[in-house]
Amino acid sequence: MTVIAARARLLLGAACAVVIAVSSVAVATLAHADLTGPPGTTLKAAAERSGRYFGAAMGRDRLTDNGFLTIANREFDMMTAVNEMKPDATEPNRGQFDFRAGDAIYNWATQRGMRFRGHTLAWHAQQPRFWGSLSGSALRQAMIDHINGVMAHYKGKLYAWDVVNEAFAENGSRRSSNLQATGNDWIEAAFRAARAADPGVQLCYNDYNIENWTYAKTQGVYNMIRDFKARGVPIDCVGLQTHFTGGSSLPGNFQQTLSSFAALGVDVALTEADVTNASSSQYQGLTQACMNVPRCVGITTWGIRDSDSWRGNENPLLFDRNSNPKPAYTSVLNALNAASTTVPGTSTPPSTPPSTPPSTPPSTPPSTPPVTGQPGACTATYRTASTWNGGYQGEVTVANNGSAALTGWTVQLTLAGGQTVANVWNGINTGTSGTISVRNAAYNGSVGANASTSFGFLVNGSTGTAPGSLTCTSP
């Protein structure tokens, strides 16, 4: 999504969409789903009940905006940079990368237990100036070099990358651009380069006006994803920008669109949501559609308050200029809490072992080490969510087995030699190697009796050895 070009778009009745899918290499979740738990009182808490996330976009200028930061920290668990990770911002001169602006946003978000989506690597707009003097194989190589340079910096740190952004025209054909002129396989080349650069991040295609299933542009993107999946091109997710306009722009077949993309074997997400005048019915409808599709992993709004929006004169976000939640906020919160489906792989594991243990031990050790920790209410269980050459993603479930609610928790664990933590979400870590501790974030320290929460982390290292010596303490 661009602040420069997007204002000139004709946002059709189908509205905008960003295509995102989940990598087979790193199936990442923010929390174990537990639809039986109490309703969430914030957007992120309500989304986490079904294993989903609720995110927002921010620019570096918001790092000094206390009103924005207060809401962001309270309500959201995923963040996207508006412009600071785009090609022109990250590579102003050939081979000279500048990550200061993107890192500032990334550091603020991840220090507060959020995860991060990268936006974007290859696009017809906001390109480095030197791309304008290149064409053909020279431009193709510059694109690949850019992908390699940016992804090397953020390797193992992000939840997802929008690898290619807005590459289709409204009639369903490829958009005419300097990148398209390098050959019709340029999108495939970008995704293959991205997978080689970071095997553990979700690789996504992102676009607008692909919410309406019968619209030509939607079908064009769908056919590309179907072709990529059939030929083994590494694409993991489809993101629908969901910039809805007017009084009735939420298409009646929106859920069908999400389900159809998901049926191809990718995850879907709503990545830049905003709605003219913050229509409660449309916000409720888009949220409900996502909740009804198991592989719809989360929703991101493009900003937080109307004063943050590129469509500010249309008042399209969930909070007004005075940082107050609008009626649309309540409609979204209620729809999140009413979710009846969960993201695959996020359901809460049983809190007690099977009543009949196996008569003989398994020939190989389980992938999840046994629960460790002092007897009492707080216990911690680890599992490896995914591994790749050079790292892995881990997840720890913190369970309250007592009769009184926990008011906070801290988990201590020990990494294998040579391993370092690159990112932690849903928790705040002290230390990055050796023995580290992770305490609860501001929003998940209270754990009811016989309930659980979880946090996750990415580890870089030459081995995938699971951490050991887990302990859990609670004040």
Side-chain angles (χ1 to χ4, degrees):
M1 157 52 197
T2 171
V3 176
I4 297 173
R7 293 182 182 274
R9 292 189 185 128
L10 176 62
L11 298 178
L12 303 181
C16 307
V18 181
V19 182
I20 299 183
V22 173
S23 168
S24 59
V25 183
V27 180
T29 61
L30 293 179
H32 284 302
D34 183 8
L35 296 177
T36 65
T41 58
T42 63
L43 296 172
K44 63 185 176 186
E48 287 165 4
R49 294 180 72 250
S50 59
R52 294 175 170 87
Y53 66 80
F54 206 94
M58 70 180 292
R60 190 180 187 183
D61 57 335
R62 294 298 182 261
L63 289 172
T64 57
D65 186 329
N66 288 331
F68 181 100
L69 298 179
T70 297
I71 302 173
N73 191 33
R74 183 184 72 230
E75 299 285 342
F76 300 92
D77 56 7
M78 182 74 75
M79 192 57 67
T80 306
V82 174
N83 290 301
E84 288 77 3
M85 290 186 179
K86 290 176 179 174
D88 60 341
T90 51
E91 193 182 8
N93 300 296
R94 186 163 198 168
Q96 297 178 352
F97 292 90
D98 187 347
F99 300 109
R100 289 173 294 179
D103 284 354
I105 300 172
Y106 171 85
N107 290 336
W108 182 89
T110 56
Q111 287 166 6
R112 286 154 182 82
M114 301 181 190
R115 301 187 76 184
F116 213 94
R117 296 190 71 259
H119 178 77
T120 180
L121 294 169
W123 191 21
H124 69 274
Q126 290 183 254
Q127 297 180 354
R129 285 188 180 181
F130 71 88
W131 285 19
S133 62
L134 303 175
S135 61
S137 60
L139 177 59
R140 174 74 65 88
Q141 189 59 52
M143 177 193 75
I144 292 173
D145 291 344
H146 177 80
I147 291 171
N148 288 335
V150 174
M151 294 190 75
H153 179 76
Y154 289 108
K155 184 176 181 180
K157 297 180 179 181
L158 302 190
Y159 170 84
W161 266 110
D162 291 334
V163 177
V164 173
N165 195 45
E166 301 175 0
F168 276 77
E170 300 303 311
N171 65 2
S173 65
R174 293 289 186 87
R175 176 193 293 272
S176 177
S177 71
N178 60 343
L179 291 173
Q180 180 64 27
T182 69
N184 201 53
D185 64 336
W186 76 273
I187 299 177
E188 176 178 344
F191 275 90
R192 291 193 184 279
R195 174 56 74 230
D198 188 348
V201 71
Q202 297 179 20
L203 304 181
C204 309
Y205 176 79
N206 194 48
D207 216 326
Y208 64 95
N209 275 356
I210 59 169
E211 294 85 0
N212 188 327
W213 176 241
T214 62
Y215 190 52
K217 186 174 185 179
T218 307
Q219 290 299 306
V221 173
Y222 175 84
N223 289 333
M224 180 188 72
I225 305 300
R226 182 173 59 183
D227 171 62
F228 281 8
K229 295 300 291 185
R231 294 191 295 110
V233 178
I235 187 167
D236 308 314
C237 48
V238 171
L240 297 85
Q241 289 179 11
T242 324
H243 296 293
F244 287 156
T245 64
S248 59
S249 62
L250 172 66
N253 57 20
F254 183 45
Q255 185 174 318
Q256 180 184 0
T257 303
L258 298 178
S259 297
S260 298
F261 277 117
L264 295 176
V266 296
D267 283 357
V268 292
L270 317 186
T271 54
E272 303 180 18
D274 48 25
V275 179
T276 298
N277 296 322
S279 164
S280 292
S281 61
Q282 291 190 59
Y283 262 117
Q284 188 277 335
L286 69 86
T287 304
Q288 188 63 60
C290 179
M291 297 302 101
N292 288 343
V293 176
R295 293 198 70 162
C296 186
V297 295
I299 299 171
T300 293
T301 57
W302 206 247
I304 292 178
R305 307 161 304 181
D306 291 333
S307 53
D308 309 316
S309 175
W310 63 286
R311 300 167 59 192
N313 62 332
E314 299 178 38
N315 302 316
L317 294 174
L318 298 177
F319 294 83
D320 65 22
R321 286 170 171 75
N322 295 318
S323 299
N324 298 312
K326 301 181 184 179
Y329 170 91
T330 303
S331 71
V332 170
L333 187 68
N334 290 340
L336 293 171
N337 278 317
S340 59
T341 64
T342 63
V343 175
T346 67
S347 58
T348 304
S351 58
T352 57
S355 57
T356 305
S359 57
T360 58
S363 58
T364 58
S367 60
T368 300
V371 173
T372 61
Q374 57 288 340
C378 181
T379 57
T381 308
Y382 170 82
R383 78 177 184 95
T384 298
S386 61
T387 62
W388 55 91
N389 185 21
Y392 64 89
Q393 176 186 314
E395 207 171 61
V396 173
T397 297
V398 177
N400 177 7
N401 298 318
S403 59
L406 301 180
T407 58
W409 48 264
T410 300
V411 172
Q412 190 173 85
L413 53 87
T414 301
L415 300 177
Q419 293 181 346
T420 58
V421 169
N423 189 12
V424 176
W425 56 94
N426 289 343
I428 300 171
N429 63 300
T430 300
T432 59
S433 62
T435 299
I436 69 171
S437 64
V438 180
R439 61 180 173 85
N440 59 274
Y443 53 85
N444 63 354
S446 178
V447 183
N450 298 314
S452 65
T453 187
S454 67
F455 66 89
F457 53 94
L458 294 177
V459 171
N460 291 332
S462 58
T463 72
T465 303
S469 303
L470 270 74
T471 61
C472 182
T473 57
S474 179

